[in-house]
Amino acid sequence: MSISSSWQWQIKNALKTEKDFKKIFSLSREEENGFRLGKDIFNIQATPYYVSLADPHNVNDPIRRMIMPLEAETKDLLETQEDPLGENKNRPVKRIIHRYKDRVLFLATDFCGIYCRYCTRKHFTGGGEVFPKKSEYQEAIDYIKEHKEIKEVILSGGDPLTLSDLKLDKILSDLDEIKHIDLIRIGSRLLAACPMRITKDLIKVLKRSKPVVMMVHFNHPNEISDLTREAFSLLVDSGFQVLNQMVLLNGVNNHPAIIYRLSRELLKSRVFPYYMFQCDPSPGTSHLRTSIEESLKIQEELWGRSSGLALPTLSVDIPSGGGKSYLSPNHIVLKNDKGYGFKGFDGVSAFYENPPKSMRLEPFLSGEDIKIWE
Ligand SMILES: *Cc1c(COP(=O)(O)O)cnc(C)c1O
């Protein structure tokens, strides 16, 4: 195995400065200014592997746009965007975000392999700790233990796969011991930034008594290489479910053909599209965001053309902690007391008539149903 194929090497040798990037790319004025004006505001970092996926001669390259700072990023720095999802309101302890009753985010690290220019958590990723302080860690575990309504823990951050196997093993075995947890998700961009992170040793760490689901993050088919396919195979052959969460990005993937191609590529590797997110309005992201209208139009075109398995769900995080809202193309054209009128994607119209209200029955609820739904 050559040295550059180890994930630790990739992270250690990541490009960070204008000088590093100039070795590969000839920088535009906008990009140079992005480095000079932005270097003290937001982290800049990309692994040599990820950079190798970009065309160094094309300023419009999608990979380049996701990692290269631009002057525009230093312009719209509104205070209100610091915490675009209002996550701090749903943060009972420092490392936990608890917005939905049955699942929490566990911010297991502040560190990432690459710093995406559109990051939702720009206000803290990269700035702080590689691993939580002992007290913060224990506080998070205790919170999960005390809240029996929590069924799923989503490891997030930062990128939890930047933690060593040893640290991950510690977190997963602590969670494994909490009886009311059914499932653990790991949200990671590292499969795109550094697929060599998926090693046989990591697989051993991930194999626990409780199911671990891998939530990956790919936005463009150019992010998928032979190494990515190997990593997907290793995960899926070992029995892990892999789901993709993507972000719609202006000038990167804002066309249904790109999303379609990405989804088909993922399906070939047995990875299923899950969410397609509206980009969050974190500071300095206006040039990377699509409008809601454009996102809906992309979703509508995909609905008509794409296999359901290849179709991610478009969703926007309501700013200020409102949670997710699905964005669905509206096919309802009529509503009356008998039912609903629809017009399908290719123009076919029809009416769905409700059954008579008097026919409705209450189902039999078991004691467990009643308890769980209180
Ligand atoms: C998105 C999100 C989740 C997970 O939601 P799912 O719809 O189950 O994928 C959990 N907690 C927070 C705070 C989230 O933003």
Side-chain angles (χ1 to χ4, degrees), residues 243-254:
L243 301 174
N244 188 51
Q245 311 194 104
M246 59 174 295
V247 183
L248 273 176
L249 294 168
N250 184 34
V252 173
N253 61 8
N254 52 332

Side-chain angles (χ1 to χ4, degrees), residues 6 21 64 202 214 240 255 362:
S6 97
F21 279 82
R64 181 170 179 156
L202 177 67
M214 193 60 79
F240 296 103
H255 191 287
E362 283 297 337

Side-chain angles (χ1 to χ4, degrees), residues 97 99-100 103 105 154 185 274-275 317 324:
I97 297 172
R99 163 75 199 164
Y100 299 104
R103 53 212 192 275
L105 300 188
I154 304 168
R185 292 193 225 176
Y274 180 50
Y275 276 133
D317 261 299
K324 288 181 185 62

Side-chain angles (χ1 to χ4, degrees), residues 58-338:
N58 179 5
V59 283
N60 299 321
D61 182 274
I63 303 274
R64 181 170 179 156
R65 285 210 163 134
M66 287 189 267
I67 49 173
M68 193 78 85
L70 289 179
E71 188 175 349
E73 205 176 308
T74 64
K75 297 288 187 232
D76 62 337
L77 303 175
L78 300 179
E79 278 288 306
T80 51
Q81 297 176 327
E82 276 289 296
D83 177 23
L85 305 190
E87 288 186 323
N88 290 331
K89 287 184 204 160
N90 296 310
R91 220 162 157 174
V93 298
K94 180 143 186 241
R95 294 279 165 180
I96 296 283
I97 297 172
H98 195 179
R99 163 75 199 164
Y100 299 104
K101 192 173 172 186
D102 71 347
R103 53 212 192 275
V104 291
L105 300 188
F106 184 169
L107 307 174
T109 175
D110 300 335
F111 187 77
C112 284
I114 56 175
Y115 289 101
C116 305
R117 302 333 297 161
Y118 53 88
C119 179
T120 295
R121 304 211 182 94
K122 270 184 159 179
H123 58 291
F124 78 82
T125 41
E129 314 276 332
V130 172
F131 194 71
K133 292 188 187 73
K134 220 172 176 178
S135 58
E136 287 174 8
Y137 178 80
Q138 201 48 49
E139 188 181 54
I141 295 287
D142 290 345
Y143 182 86
I144 297 166
K145 268 187 200 157
E146 283 156 21
H147 290 259
K148 297 208 165 43
E149 72 276 18
I150 301 171
K151 306 279 177 224
E152 286 179 31
V153 175
I154 304 168
L155 298 185
S156 183
D159 195 319
L161 288 189
T162 60
L163 295 170
S164 66
D165 289 357
L166 210 65
K167 284 276 185 336
L168 276 171
D169 192 58
K170 161 85 179 141
I171 303 177
L172 292 173
S173 45
D174 285 348
L175 294 176
D176 230 10
E177 274 170 29
I178 305 176
K179 253 183 108 179
H180 53 273
I181 300 300
D182 295 336
L183 182 147
I184 298 156
R185 292 193 225 176
I186 299 181
S188 177
R189 179 89 165 114
L190 219 54
L191 263 99
C194 186
M196 38 298 255
R197 177 66 185 96
I198 308 301
T199 59
K200 293 215 170 82
D201 286 340
L202 177 67
I203 297 284
K204 276 187 213 144
V205 170
L206 300 180
K207 279 209 170 168
R208 338 266 335 166
S209 54
K210 281 174 190 168
V212 169
V213 174
M214 193 60 79
M215 315 297 291
V216 299
H217 175 175
F218 288 80
N219 298 319
H220 195 283
N222 292 7
E223 291 179 313
I224 298 175
S225 70
D226 286 343
L227 280 174
T228 330
R229 290 185 195 96
E230 273 174 41
F232 285 151
S233 282
L234 200 49
L235 282 166
V236 179
D237 288 344
S238 311
F240 296 103
Q241 181 84 256
V242 186
L243 301 174
N244 188 51
Q245 311 194 104
M246 59 174 295
V247 183
L248 273 176
L249 294 168
N250 184 34
V252 173
N253 61 8
N254 52 332
H255 191 287
I258 297 174
I259 316 288
Y260 182 76
R261 201 154 61 83
L262 170 65
S263 294
R264 299 293 335 170
E265 273 300 318
L266 291 169
L267 284 181
K268 276 194 244 174
S269 291
R270 297 169 286 169
V271 173
F272 290 84
Y274 180 50
Y275 276 133
M276 175 161 75
F277 285 113
Q278 180 71 21
C279 183
D280 291 319
S282 56
T285 56
S286 292
H287 62 295
L288 282 166
R289 289 187 284 129
T290 54
S291 67
I292 301 258
E293 288 86 348
E294 185 177 16
S295 306
L296 274 168
K297 189 153 178 294
I298 291 169
Q299 179 80 344
E300 171 135 44
E301 290 191 29
L302 286 170
W303 262 110
R305 291 274 287 262
S306 163
S307 147
L309 292 180
L311 195 70
T313 301
L314 178 62
S315 175
V316 57
D317 261 299
I318 302 170
S320 308
K324 288 181 185 62
S325 169
Y326 296 150
L327 292 167
S328 326
N330 184 20
H331 294 281
I332 296 173
V333 290
L334 175 84
K335 174 184 190 277
N336 62 27
D337 51 5
K338 287 221 158 57

